[in-house]
Amino acid sequence: MPFLDSPSADDPPEARTHGATERRRRGRRPARHARGLFAAAALGVILVAGVGCSRSAGEAGDGGLPDIFLLTVDTLRADHLGAYGHEPARTPTIDALAARGTLFERAYTPLPRTTPGLASLLTGLLPVRHGSREVGDPIDDVPLLSELLSARGYATLGVSGNGAAGGRQNLGRGFDQLLAGRRELPGTEAGPLTTKALELVDGATLNAETPLFLWVHYVDPHFPYRPPKPWREGAGGEECLELIDGRWKESHIDVFDDVDGVSSRALESCRRLYDAEIAYVDAELRRLLDGLAERGRPADDALVVFTADHGENLGERRLFYEHGPHVHDASLRVPLIVAGPGVATRRDSDTARLEDLMPTILSLLGVPDTDRPASDGVDLGPRLRPPPFGLELARRTDEPPPVLAESGSVLHLRSVRSLVSGRADARSCTHGPRFSLCGRDGEAMLLFDRDADPGLTVDVASEHPEAIEALLEQRQRWPAESARELAVLDGRFKLVATPERGGGWKRALYDLEADPGERRDVAGRHPEVVEQLGVRLDALAAEIGAVAPAEARDDEALATLRALGYVE
């Protein structure tokens, strides 16, 4: 039953009778949903007026809280889904969800790495404020959505195929059970993940009146792309598989940086395998939703949020099958679809952000402002409700706040295109136009001449003391894991700041309407836009600059980084 067809108090009696019959046929107790949050009259109060329900949303067992299904997919570009216009896509489940909900065409992650992006979703905070600014790094002691839902009577369950999004990163607080990664799951591929999620639901102490918060994070589209045989057969991915089994095993960075053109030659083949991974996840999403319906928890009656932690560079900015070091839209832009009874069937062309989801969900539950934690996000509720009487009225009085984003660090030691590479708690390299200075702070450094020695194998420190002096000064300005790109995006324009060798940032402005590939700097044509967005960018840079360096990573955290291909 489509969400917008859910019966309300304003429907004729025969419509309400049909709705009750349909719910009984699906195995749910009709009383729960007759009093449910998303009855049309109640949702109109929440979404249009922006105020909470008259009853307390925090009373456990009152039968008035909807199930919440948070479905996230690792490394998923929005423009590779059918609902976002990708013709080769095989994503009927995701497309059907979009067809009965609100699709946000321009949604963004604040940092294109798994832990920071998902942490912003679950906390409503920017990475600089929740504490995780690199993959695998834990968040600080800040409130999580799962904790707030648990306090309001929700059963809270989660499975994450990515070990960088689980309890070790402090994302497990408030969950009755959260299993993440190979250490805690029998398998991290989409099929075993779906099975485990349904097993957790079966094993939980639930009754028909207990609302369920279920988070499932699929990891399959992450490189290397190896979908199961039924999904890769006929996909034309042989050349990409040869790249994975050959050059990738020898050197991850050769593939990411397209050394000798190995990655660009396999691009179309890898695109097809990437799409096959997404198709596999889509099929498992269907199995998950069908399984939940069989257990008396149909998605039609739930609040369903579908999104991703970040996207993926497929050659943009000369980066292949990777994400994180840049703030290009290829890795910043993510899909975002929200569906539920009373949610409008529409496409929203304004910007939205992962940090907006926590305040939005709490608002939809009627949690008053005074009971919500501080947030960098805004309530998207007014954009989810269809306008009254079919009129396209103003959905809000203010424009969406700008998107603020930072890149991740360049963790691969031999990635020489950046100012600095490597980890703050280990060896790192500072790169000049010709030379690279590598080692640990406080120890003797090695100098490499990349013109003569691109593999960084021969130390020439004794021959070029002047190069060492210049690179040591650069190293003081940009320590390891500090030289990050910044971005501010406000509607049509995106201002990007790239660290410069002598300190500070070089700014470039992109007109995303005319140049979605971000190839032409138009700062000279729009100095007023640069000045306006520059104020927000300067504030972000100042806040990031005041953050203390991350603590040293333990062996398990490093193992996670290696498993994901971020370090070798």
Side-chain angles (χ1 to χ4, degrees):
M1 177 187 278
F3 292 124
L4 292 180
D5 291 340
S6 299
S8 73
D10 297 326
D11 288 330
E14 59 270 22
R16 295 197 297 272
T17 301
H18 171 76
T21 301
E22 178 69 7
R23 284 190 295 272
R24 282 194 294 272
R25 184 184 65 79
R26 291 192 301 245
R28 299 302 299 270
R29 291 187 181 181
R32 175 180 177 186
H33 298 289
R35 300 195 305 269
L37 172 69
F38 290 106
L43 189 62
V45 172
I46 295 171
L47 294 184
V48 176
V51 297
C53 298
S54 58
R55 65 174 174 79
S56 170
E59 293 176 2
D62 65 1
L65 296 173
D67 289 339
I68 301 173
F69 302 150
L70 175 60
L71 310 175
T72 57
V73 181
D74 211 294
T75 323
L76 179 59
R77 290 172 65 125
D79 61 0
H80 275 248
L81 299 176
Y84 284 83
H86 187 51
E87 291 186 3
R90 294 176 287 166
T91 53
T93 306
I94 299 167
D95 299 347
L97 186 66
R100 58 186 177 87
T102 295
L103 179 149
F104 291 88
E105 295 177 341
R106 302 178 64 202
Y108 289 86
T109 183
L111 200 158
R113 287 268 167 81
T114 296
T115 318
L118 292 176
S120 288
L121 189 163
L122 295 170
T123 65
L125 299 172
L126 290 170
V128 72
R129 292 174 192 155
H130 63 55
S132 176
R133 296 180 58 235
E134 194 46 83
V135 63
D137 289 353
I139 65 169
D140 296 333
D141 186 15
V142 295
L144 282 163
L145 176 63
S146 47
E147 294 177 291
L148 299 171
L149 293 180
S150 178
R152 283 163 173 78
Y154 273 83
T156 52
L157 304 173
V159 289
S160 167
N162 193 329
R168 285 188 54 81
Q169 293 75 37
N170 295 334
L171 298 180
R173 297 196 307 266
F175 279 97
D176 299 329
Q177 282 187 281
L178 174 63
L179 305 178
R182 299 186 183 280
R183 289 178 175 266
E184 300 175 4
L185 292 167
T188 58
E189 297 80 10
L193 206 67
T194 297
T195 299
K196 177 54 68 172
L198 294 174
E199 288 177 355
L200 288 187
V201 174
D202 289 338
T205 305
L206 302 174
N207 58 53
E209 301 302 320
T210 302
L212 171 66
F213 172 55
L214 176 65
W215 174 33
V216 182
H217 181 65
Y218 293 96
V219 73
D220 301 76
H222 197 290
F223 196 79
Y225 313 138
R226 284 189 176 278
K229 268 190 177 179
W231 297 101
R232 70 171 179 258
E233 288 177 352
E238 292 78 11
E239 190 173 0
C240 189
L241 290 174
E242 290 177 5
L243 175 70
I244 293 168
D245 292 334
R247 197 63 169 264
W248 166 257
K249 289 185 176 180
E250 297 173 6
S251 170
H252 293 358
I253 197 60
D254 282 3
V255 173
F256 292 153
D257 283 357
D258 194 27
V259 174
D260 301 326
V262 294
S263 298
S264 54
R265 287 194 295 271
L267 178 57
E268 290 308 313
S269 178
C270 286
R271 282 182 182 273
R272 289 191 285 270
L273 280 190
Y274 179 68
D275 282 349
E277 291 275 30
I278 297 168
Y280 171 43
V281 170
D282 185 272
E284 286 302 316
L285 283 169
R286 179 73 272 160
R287 188 164 74 90
L288 175 70
L289 296 177
D290 287 346
L292 290 169
E294 291 168 1
R295 290 157 174 79
R297 297 185 179 271
D300 283 6
D301 294 330
L303 174 64
V304 183
V305 178
F306 174 84
T307 189
D309 51 357
H310 52 73
E312 178 83 313
N313 283 59
L314 297 173
E316 294 87 359
R317 296 281 303 274
R318 299 170 61 204
L319 182 67
F320 287 79
Y321 324 131
E322 170 66 311
H323 44 268
H326 306 306
V327 290
H328 193 283
D329 267 17
S331 54
L332 279 189
R333 184 172 167 235
V334 296
L336 175 58
I337 299 167
V338 181
V343 174
T345 300
R346 65 183 297 267
R347 300 177 75 91
D348 188 301
S349 60
D350 287 328
T351 55
R353 310 163 307 167
L354 289 188
E355 60 265 33
D356 294 334
L357 289 175
M358 179 173 175
T360 298
I361 291 171
L362 295 179
S363 172
L364 293 178
L365 296 182
V367 178
D369 292 348
T370 53
D371 291 344
R372 298 183 216 164
S375 174
D376 294 314
V378 298
D379 177 14
L380 300 176
R383 296 160 64 179
L384 297 174
R385 177 65 179 163
F389 312 113
L391 300 177
E392 190 63 32
L393 302 178
R395 297 176 183 272
R396 58 184 179 274
T397 57
D398 299 323
E399 289 299 312
V403 174
L404 303 177
E406 59 175 307
S407 74
S409 304
V410 178
L411 298 176
H412 280 278
L413 193 66
R414 293 191 301 108
S415 183
V416 299
R417 295 177 182 171
S418 57
L419 296 184
V420 61
S421 61
R423 306 196 323 268
D425 58 349
R427 292 181 66 205
S428 62
C429 290
T430 299
H431 306 291
R434 173 183 169 185
F435 295 97
S436 293
L437 185 69
C438 302
R440 291 176 180 266
D441 288 332
E443 298 179 2
M445 295 283 177
L446 305 179
L447 185 72
F448 303 101
D449 182 350
R450 298 196 308 276
D451 288 349
D453 176 29
L456 309 185
T457 59
V458 179
D459 179 21
V460 295
S462 61
E463 303 171 28
H464 300 279
E466 73 291 344
I468 293 177
E469 183 178 356
L471 288 173
L472 284 174
E473 291 179 3
Q474 181 178 317
R475 193 177 183 90
Q476 288 183 332
R477 286 189 290 268
W478 297 110
E481 300 193 44
S482 70
R484 299 165 178 245
E485 291 188 351
L486 309 177
V488 179
L489 189 154
D490 189 0
R492 171 183 167 186
F493 292 102
K494 179 178 182 179
L495 184 64
V496 174
T498 304
E500 292 197 288
R501 187 164 287 111
W505 283 268
K506 177 183 178 182
R507 296 182 178 184
L509 184 71
Y510 300 102
D511 182 345
L512 296 181
E513 292 181 4
D515 176 30
E518 302 175 39
R519 295 182 178 91
R520 297 183 297 276
D521 179 9
V522 295
R525 301 181 199 170
H526 303 278
E528 73 288 350
V529 177
V530 174
E531 182 178 0
Q532 178 187 3
L533 297 183
V535 173
R536 302 300 298 266
L537 191 147
D538 290 342
L540 178 62
E543 187 166 3
I544 288 174
V547 174
E551 296 181 1
R553 299 174 177 97
D554 59 24
D555 291 342
E556 189 167 345
L558 293 176
T560 299
L561 289 176
R562 291 190 184 95
L564 292 169
Y566 292 117
V567 299
E568 294 183 278

